[in-house]
Amino acid sequence: MTNWKKIAGGILALLIIIAIYQGFFKETQPSFDLVEVSQGEIIQEVSETGQVKKGEEISLGFKNAGRIENIYIEVGEEVRKGTALARLETSDLTIQLQEANAVLSLAQAKLNKLLAGATKEETQKAETTVFNAQISLKDAKLNLQDVKSQAGDDLDAAYEDALNVLEDAYLKAYNVQNSVDLIQRTYFTQNDQEGFGVRENEEKIIQAVSQIKSSLEATKTDSSEENIDKSFSQTKEGLSKLSGALKAIREYCQSSSYHVVVSSTDKTSLDTHREYINTALTNVTNAQQTISSTELANEADINTAQAKVSAAEGVLAVAEDELNLITAPAQKEDINLYQAEIDQAQAQVKALENQLSEATLRSPVEAQVVEVKKREGETVQPMLQDSAVVLLPKAAYEIEVDIYEEDIVKIDVGNPVEISLVAFPDEVFKGEVISINPAEKIVEGVVYYEVNIAFGEIPAGVKPGMTADLEIRTATKENVLVVPEDVLQEKNGKIIVEILEGEKIEEKEIEVGLKGSNDMVEILSGLSEGEEVILR
């Protein structure tokens, strides 16, 4: 018996531990249902209670401002329900409706084209554009290679010419050295002023020739741009020294002591060598400038060719993007966007069609015309401010009901009504809104507006003062996307729903339309039929 108690106690302890774990440690899973977006009907109704009363005069006016084009009735005339009483000018509305229909057709065509995808001709055209862009890019790259190759050849030729110029300069400098050496040994061996001067300048010539030779040999060993630039500088410096030394020696030859001694041939030789040196100096300078200008021209040509390559790459990228765009399947976001444009265009068409319909003032009931307040050509204001025709209904009874100011904006003359009379509990009668009093009625500080409703068929035995429960149908939409209103959330001024992506809950922004009295709401954009949304 003791063992059984121990076993029972152990089982009880285990159950308590499990309960504690379930209650405190196990993660609580969120609880929600999934609701499918479906097509359905949205019905918007206003429910109110009124009273039966004797028929009274009805003041009718247009819903919109405008100029009266036609008045079809006269005072005393009897009219049937639906008879046209007057009409506003509609030429502007007709044009606007044509434009709205064109916008709707364009939006539908854009969606159709999106869904159909690119035509064979469009695809082929885009492929041809890509092919041509590829060829252009290939040609641009080949041209860039040719430009770089030609630039290298041009620069090599410029450097080769420069080396020739440097060698020629050295040769002329060497000849100067030999010629001056001969003149010095022939005429200026004395230790006089002229002899010292000539020998001093001869030494300058020897140093300058050595400098030119060293720079030339260095360039032949390493013909880098840096060495050639250095050789140019040293050669020009050496040639300038040579020219100056030759000028000084020539002046010593003209001194009083040597004017007759030095032969005219040797004097002419000095002048000629100096001309050669100056020419060589000019040639070296020109060769250096040629290399510089060649480098600048090469850089410009290469940059131009590279720019053409970059431009060709850009054209190819655009062509490839266009091809990918027209061959890619339509994306859900694009379809939703185009569908939203269609819905917006349809709403505009519907609004203008309603305005055109409302431009004709019609009798809501069978009645007699008791007053015509307007004339053809006169401008009228909307119905709540300006009545045009007064009718006396033929029906003996109608229903008067006060509608709260928040609901009155939903109600229009002509709205259908379901009527339930307390005196006839098992019957529902049809009716219609026939007038809305523009003047407000204050009841206990709350604003109401008086609305009159006519029976479709007056039930036998109805009496004034009877209570009538009314369901006024203010709007109806069929075959639209609907979801329960409870799935909607408002966040940062936007309407969102929650959807399940895998195991993750995500938010999705939507646009809503008509909200029905049956707790359903119309979806204008953001969701598609068959999608599931979270209902918490």
Side-chain angles (χ1 to χ4, degrees), residues 21 110 130 135 157 159 237 244 265-266 295 318 330 336 346 359 364 373 402 408 460 466 514 526:
Y21 172 76
K110 287 165 64 177
V130 170
I135 292 177
Y159 277 122
E237 182 182 357
T265 301
D266 288 331
E295 289 175 337
V318 171
N336 290 342
Q346 286 175 334
K373 294 185 174 183
D402 293 333
I408 195 66
M466 285 185 172
L514 184 66

Side-chain angles (χ1 to χ4, degrees), residues 314-365:
V315 171
L316 176 59
V318 171
E320 289 175 338
D321 289 344
E322 183 66 21
L323 177 60
N324 292 334
L325 181 63
I326 68 173
T327 56
Q331 295 186 359
K332 184 177 179 180
E333 292 78 6
D334 294 332
I335 294 174
N336 290 342
L337 176 62
Y338 281 25
Q339 185 60 56
E341 290 180 357
I342 290 175
D343 293 341
Q344 185 178 19
Q346 286 175 334
Q348 180 65 13
V349 169
K350 183 65 175 177
L352 290 169
E353 287 175 342
N354 288 340
Q355 280 188 265
L356 277 172
S357 175
E358 293 163 356
T360 299
L361 185 63
R362 297 182 182 276
S363 174
V365 292

Side-chain angles (χ1 to χ4, degrees), residues 60-73 82-95 97 352-363 372 374-380 388-389:
L60 300 178
F62 292 96
K63 290 186 178 181
N64 302 296
R67 193 179 75 86
I68 297 177
E69 185 175 51
N70 298 108
I71 294 178
Y72 303 114
I73 43 81
T83 298
L85 306 177
R87 179 175 176 80
L88 299 177
E89 282 187 347
T90 58
S91 55
D92 289 343
L93 280 176
T94 301
I95 293 173
L97 179 59
L352 290 169
E353 287 175 342
N354 288 340
Q355 280 188 265
L356 277 172
S357 175
E358 293 163 356
T360 299
L361 185 63
R362 297 182 182 276
S363 174
V372 179
K374 301 294 179 181
R375 293 175 294 185
E376 291 181 357
E378 191 172 348
T379 299
V380 295
V389 178

Side-chain angles (χ1 to χ4, degrees), residues 17 39 44 52 59 100 154 156 174 201 223 257 270 288 325 337 394 433 446 475 483 500 535:
I17 291 172
Q39 286 209 6
Q44 187 181 76
V52 178
S59 293
D154 291 345
D156 289 343
Y174 181 75
N201 281 283
S223 59
S257 301
L270 288 173
Q288 188 177 25
L325 181 63
L337 176 62
K394 289 288 185 180
V433 176
V446 179
V483 295
L500 196 60
L535 174 64

Side-chain angles (χ1 to χ4, degrees), residues 361-402:
L361 185 63
R362 297 182 182 276
S363 174
V365 292
E366 186 176 357
Q368 184 178 33
V369 180
V370 295
E371 186 178 2
V372 179
K373 294 185 174 183
K374 301 294 179 181
R375 293 175 294 185
E376 291 181 357
E378 191 172 348
T379 299
V380 295
Q381 299 303 316
M383 174 182 63
L384 296 181
Q385 304 175 27
D386 200 5
S387 63
V389 178
V390 179
L391 302 179
L392 180 63
K394 289 288 185 180
Y397 298 100
E398 58 189 38
I399 298 171
E400 182 181 291
V401 58
D402 293 333

